[in-house]
Amino acid sequence: MFEDPLLSARFQFALTAAVHYMFVAFTLGLAPYILFGQFRATLRRDGPRMRAVRFWGGLYIINYAMGILSGIVMELQLSLNWSGLHEMYGYAFGAPLAIEAMGAFFVESTFLGLWIFGWDRMGKWAHWCCFLVVTTTAYASAYWVLVSNGFLKHPTGISIEDGEAVIDDVGAMAANPSALLAFTHVTFSALLLGGAVIAAASAYHLRRGCDPDGMYQRGVRHGTALLLIAVLPTVISGGLQFIMYGQDPPSSGTTYSAEQIAAIEEGYGELSTAHALGISGDMVMMLSWALMLLVGMLSAGVWAFRGLGRWRWHLRLLAFVPVLPYAASVGGWVFRETERQPWTVRHHLTTADAVTDMSPLMATVSFSLFTSAFAVLGTVTAWLLVRFARLGPNAGPLAPPRVFDQDDEDGRTPVLRL
Amino acid sequence: MEIAPALFLTGLIVGYFVLAGCDIGLGMAAPYLARTPAERRRLVSAIAPYFLGSEVWLVGAVGVVAGLFPSLKDVLFEGGMWAVSTVLLTGWLMRDAGLWLRARVDTGAWRSVCDSALVSGSWLLALSWGLIIGGLLSGGDPLTPFSLVCALTVAVLFLLRGAAFGAERLVPADGSASGHTGPATAPEADQAAWATRVLARTGLATTAVTAALVAFPGTGPAVDRPLLLAAVAAVPATALAITSGLSGPHLSRHTSAVAIAAVPLLAGALNLPLGTPPAGTLLLTGGAILPVLPLMVVGQVALHRMLRRPADDHGFFVTPPPQDSQPGRTVPVS
């Protein structure tokens, strides 16, 4: 595959995007839960609840780190490996990415920094507001990235002037149906994934009889509730996207004529490897949805019989549920991205024309470097997430500093500061 | 109005050099300034909060280049520059991974792997920035003698910035040297302060060599505005000259910032293919970014104000303190 720079650039981007999204989805899914938990803890001045927030917050940051690292690589990889996209579509495709980097990520990362270092240094409500900004900008980020991605799939709001795409309708660009549908779907599926992980981590601890201040009983309830709320909208918003299937984008015919488009698609064929991969991705996604619906109904039943958080077989089952939404997310993205082939920008730019003119050596170096780096970093982060989820609230990276009571004679009784 | 996006981009890149110069430079100086585990721990906790707030400036700049100046990419990512950009990205990844992961596993081997990633990543970052500036000025070839000397000079400027930053941040949070046994003073901070002088002199020497290469026919860069280049290059030279005469860190905090801020401005001597973004793109990006601009400013100011004090002894990026301390001690909470 290294003889063909196009193939390795595509494979590299697919890997980067898939790894990136796995961490992004957890970020999006967990953020509202932490926001909600911290709100309740702050409102009630509830120390034990705040301890739970520190536990989930620790997982959030470990996960966020890999989200940033893979996001940076993805942003630069678009420039390094896909220069054709920027030559002709830079002003259109790049604009939402610029907004994402400046308006969303810049703010998100700065305020996350404030949140991490502000635990004992700022007012409780100011601290909560920092996380409110983090959550809002995380979703804003997702929206703008999907506007970019939606543009590739369904270019609208643009016209072609001198071979360059120019945005002539800002509203149409921002309200691209392909982007809005995908954003709805990503939001619900991320909440589903977040709920599954919260329920799984809680179930793991409950099965071992560890439940400090009832935080894991709450976690298993909240996680299951999120899962139940989000599973149907995920399936529906996913299915709704099929209305876009086969629809020609409004700007179709401005770069290539209808005959040329037909010829390019004909030349690519229906039975390419990409399409085969896409169909398998679709099947993985559908199968995972079906299993999640089953698990959801089962859990609702268990809850109705007051077995939630108590029946050991169910706790054991819950601990493995996150595999399903992760598989569905990756499968879904493989399906969405391969479905667009042979186009990078549908009916405007073929993938073969978008790739940077790289020598096989450059392609090999870039591919092996970043793939191995991602393999290491992704594995380490996943291992750390599981490790800290298992270690529980006392060993988390955001666990409060231990302060020893001044009056205590032997000074060994730790006092919790929250 | 047409100049506003270009000014915005310049502001982001200069902001990145000034702010990230602190944590990249201190990371480069780590093998010299921090030799014991406790010293390394303090050095990382001095860097860690800063890098989150400073690298976003570069991410923002890359985004702005993607959206508003797509033709700049041809200059930045072609031929030899492609290789340098890939190395820069590798260095960035290594340094960040080292910082994020260091405190997560409590073993010496893990920490030394992360420390190596931090140090080598910081060096790769600084050197590739120098090669990018030198390569741009040499017309896209990062391997000319001029580019190489440029890389060396930029690395020295990063080191100077890091040393000036370390002289302030490596001081323990309180007089008792952060809760465990140790001297009340901070030898690392003194060492960093002393290093600013040496580094300023080295920087002055490498700047002189760079200037000599410019004057020497055949090795100098081909720029469109040589006078501007000379004027901008005079800024770090003056700043270095001021710092090199002082022993303490007092002025180096400002002079190092001025010196490193001039580095990206050197590219102003070239006729870069900026182009004018079309109205629709400006409307979309301006309409979406301007409303959050106050939030960006508030966040950055708040973060850097909060971190102005000496580094904390606990937190996400700080490893647990060494186990040899006596039981019953009080961990200070600031």
Side-chain angles (χ1 to χ4, degrees):
Chain A
M1 61 171 292
F2 290 123
E3 289 82 60
D4 185 1
L6 172 63
L7 202 59
S8 78
R10 284 175 67 183
F11 195 50
Q12 185 182 354
F13 194 80
L15 280 178
T16 313
V19 171
H20 179 60
Y21 185 71
M22 284 168 79
F23 293 96
V24 167
F26 186 46
T27 300
L28 290 173
L30 197 56
Y33 183 62
I34 293 174
L35 188 71
F36 164 77
Q38 195 178 354
F39 179 77
R40 296 235 300 196
T42 311
L43 195 67
R44 300 178 175 188
R45 299 171 190 228
D46 189 340
R49 267 175 210 267
M50 199 56 110
R51 196 149 75 118
V53 172
R54 283 184 185 259
F55 169 71
W56 299 114
L59 297 184
Y60 183 87
I61 303 169
I62 294 172
N63 176 74
Y64 185 82
M66 188 59 197
I68 295 190
L69 294 180
S70 54
I72 289 170
V73 172
M74 202 156 114
E75 190 187 18
L76 275 116
Q77 202 181 95
L78 272 175
S79 313
L80 289 168
N81 290 358
W82 300 99
S83 60
L85 193 54
H86 291 277
E87 274 156 24
M88 283 164 279
Y89 298 90
Y91 286 130
F93 165 74
L97 286 184
I99 300 172
E100 192 274 333
M102 282 305 307
F105 175 73
F106 191 104
V107 179
E108 183 185 3
S109 208
T110 309
F111 276 83
L112 187 72
L114 276 171
W115 190 71
I116 297 175
F117 301 108
W119 277 101
D120 306 308
R121 297 182 167 199
M122 54 165 82
K124 297 240 182 290
W125 285 109
H127 192 233
W128 179 76
C129 283
C130 288
F131 204 77
L132 178 66
V133 175
V134 171
T135 311
T136 318
T137 44
Y139 278 87
S141 249
Y143 168 72
W144 287 113
V145 168
L146 288 170
V147 168
S148 264
N149 178 268
F151 168 80
L152 298 181
K153 202 173 166 68
H154 190 73
T156 174
I158 57 150
S159 58
I160 308 290
E161 285 173 17
D162 307 326
E164 244 185 27
V166 176
I167 303 176
D168 56 8
D169 187 348
V170 172
M173 177 103 188
N176 187 343
S178 177
L180 290 181
L181 283 171
F183 179 65
T184 317
H185 184 55
V186 159
T187 302
F188 282 117
S189 63
L191 290 174
L192 173 63
L193 192 146
V197 176
I198 294 163
S202 305
Y204 174 87
H205 285 283
L206 287 176
R207 217 162 63 80
R208 276 157 187 74
C210 157
D211 191 18
D213 315 312
M215 66 176 280
Y216 292 124
Q217 279 292 348
R218 283 198 305 276
V220 80
R221 278 202 308 276
H222 294 158
T224 310
L226 259 178
L227 198 138
L228 289 175
I229 293 168
V231 66
L232 267 181
T234 303
V235 174
I236 292 168
S237 60
L240 270 180
Q241 294 185 67
F242 283 103
I243 58 170
M244 305 286 298
Y245 205 79
Q247 253 186 51
D248 280 347
S251 58
S252 178
T254 47
T255 303
Y256 292 108
S257 68
E259 293 80 43
Q260 284 171 315
I261 290 171
I264 289 171
E265 288 183 346
E266 187 106 353
Y268 189 71
E270 280 290 307
L271 288 166
S272 67
T273 323
H275 281 152
L277 276 172
I279 291 164
S280 358
D282 189 23
M283 275 158 52
V284 168
M285 179 175 72
M286 300 282 188
L287 182 68
S288 309
W289 283 352
L291 288 174
M292 275 186 283
L293 277 169
L294 248 161
V295 171
M297 286 189 290
L298 192 70
S299 303
V302 169
W303 201 342
F305 285 99
R306 299 177 182 278
L308 188 69
R310 287 173 45 224
W311 295 352
R312 295 182 66 81
W313 65 268
H314 185 246
L315 292 175
R316 189 187 288 268
L317 174 75
L318 277 184
F320 290 99
V321 166
V323 175
L324 297 174
Y326 275 112
S329 300
V330 174
W333 272 107
V334 169
F335 178 52
R336 180 177 170 90
E337 294 301 290
T338 50
E339 192 264 331
R340 200 177 59 222
Q341 300 305 325
W343 303 101
T344 286
V345 183
R346 200 133 175 254
H347 292 188
H348 289 281
L349 177 71
T350 61
T351 310
D353 289 337
V355 74
T356 306
D357 190 16
M358 285 187 288
S359 66
L361 177 72
M362 284 158 82
T364 313
V365 168
S366 165
F367 182 85
S368 24
L369 194 69
F370 292 113
T371 308
S372 47
F374 263 48
V376 173
L377 290 177
T379 314
V380 168
T381 309
W383 170 67
L384 285 176
L385 278 172
V386 172
R387 178 167 175 258
F388 280 100
R390 283 180 173 181
L391 280 175
N394 292 326
L398 280 183
R402 278 173 305 160
V403 178
F404 295 91
D405 197 342
Q406 301 285 339
D407 303 329
D408 193 9
E409 278 301 303
D410 40 76
R412 280 171 185 276
T413 317
V415 178
L416 263 182
R417 262 181 70 117
L418 297 149
Chain B
M1 240 351 255
E2 277 179 8
I3 195 141
L7 281 180
F8 190 55
L9 178 63
T10 314
L12 282 173
I13 295 182
V14 169
Y16 169 74
F17 270 81
V18 171
L19 293 173
C22 295
D23 48 72
I24 295 174
L26 196 53
M28 291 161 77
Y32 172 71
L33 290 178
R35 295 167 198 231
T36 67
E39 284 172 353
R40 277 196 287 272
R41 178 169 165 265
R42 195 182 297 160
L43 184 125
V44 170
S45 62
I47 295 177
Y50 256 81
F51 88 101
L52 249 184
S54 56
E55 71 178 17
V56 292
W57 291 71
L58 182 59
V59 176
V62 176
V64 168
V65 168
L68 299 180
F69 305 102
S71 33
L72 257 187
K73 297 212 152 170
D74 302 344
V75 190
L76 285 173
F77 298 125
E78 226 163 52
M81 303 297 275
W82 185 93
V84 181
S85 303
T86 308
V87 173
L88 182 124
L89 187 53
T90 315
W92 190 356
L93 207 61
M94 281 168 72
R95 186 187 78 115
D96 279 22
L99 282 170
W100 278 112
L101 297 174
R102 188 180 190 275
R104 293 289 72 80
V105 179
D106 192 15
T107 65
W110 178 270
R111 279 192 288 269
S112 55
V113 168
C114 290
D115 286 338
S116 320
L118 166 64
V119 173
S120 42
S122 303
W123 276 94
L124 282 180
L125 266 174
L127 288 171
S128 30
W129 275 121
L131 284 178
I132 283 181
I133 301 289
L136 276 179
L137 293 173
S138 310
D141 184 2
L143 285 178
T144 61
F146 173 78
S147 312
L148 296 176
V149 180
C150 229
L152 208 63
T153 312
V154 171
V156 173
L157 290 180
F158 267 102
L159 271 172
L160 174 64
R161 183 88 185 115
F165 175 68
E168 290 182 6
R169 283 276 293 177
L170 291 177
V171 179
D174 59 354
S176 65
S178 53
H180 49 89
T181 48
T185 53
E188 308 103 281
D190 295 342
Q191 234 173 350
W194 178 79
T196 55
R197 188 169 160 189
V198 180
L199 285 168
R201 288 177 181 172
T202 318
L204 211 53
T206 52
T207 312
V209 175
T210 324
L213 278 180
V214 174
F216 196 73
T219 50
V223 295
D224 306 294
R225 305 189 191 93
L227 277 180
L228 184 74
L229 182 72
V232 175
V235 173
T238 318
L240 290 171
I242 294 171
T243 317
S244 60
L246 294 169
S247 58
H250 312 292
L251 267 178
S252 63
R253 174 185 182 178
H254 306 288
T255 49
S256 64
V258 171
I260 207 159
V263 171
L265 293 178
L266 288 172
L270 295 167
N271 269 330
L272 291 173
L274 287 177
T276 315
T281 302
L282 277 181
L283 187 66
L284 182 66
T285 47
I289 293 175
L290 287 180
V292 286
L293 213 55
L295 208 56
M296 287 159 61
V297 175
V298 167
Q300 282 284 321
V301 170
L303 185 64
H304 285 106
R305 272 179 67 99
M306 196 167 73
L307 302 173
R308 201 190 278 160
R309 282 175 276 170
D312 234 359
D313 202 43
H314 61 87
F316 184 83
F317 293 97
V318 190
T319 41
Q323 292 299 311
D324 54 11
S325 51
Q326 321 86 328
R329 71 197 168 79
T330 304
V331 181
V333 178
S334 51

